[in-house]
Amino acid sequence: MAVEAIGSADASTNTARTEFQRVQLKLAEDLAAKAAEKVAAKDKAILTRSETDSLQQRQASGNTGADVGRIGSALDLVI
């Protein structure tokens, strides 16, 4: 990881301290955004897998009437 010099070399100055805090906050925001993206991706994968499993179970049991009913209802809303 590269280290970048920011502000004054004297860490006791307010400017250097403020700039360091700004960089820390930016890094924390970036990490939080990346973590949120990972959580959303996992949630989407779980939801997709769950929906796929449910569809396969309905197809295997021959109970596709619910699917047809939902499609009909959706078409009624469009018409």
Side-chain angles (χ1 to χ4, degrees):
M1 178 193 284
V3 176
E4 182 179 316
I6 50 175
S8 172
D10 181 10
S12 64
T13 65
N14 285 337
T15 305
R17 199 172 310 124
T18 301
E19 185 66 14
F20 180 71
Q21 288 173 343
R22 186 190 65 76
V23 170
Q24 279 184 318
L25 287 174
K26 174 71 172 130
L27 179 61
E29 289 170 358
D30 291 347
L31 290 173
K34 190 176 285 190
E37 288 174 6
K38 286 182 178 181
V39 169
K42 286 184 180 183
D43 286 348
K44 184 177 179 180
I46 290 169
L47 181 62
T48 301
R49 186 173 52 235
S50 175
E51 289 175 349
T52 302
D53 291 347
S54 295
L55 177 61
Q56 289 174 346
Q57 287 176 355
R58 286 193 306 270
Q59 288 174 341
S61 69
N63 186 9
T64 56
D67 294 331
V68 172
R70 274 188 257 160
I71 292 170
S73 298
L75 291 175
D76 289 341
L77 293 175
V78 173
I79 295 174

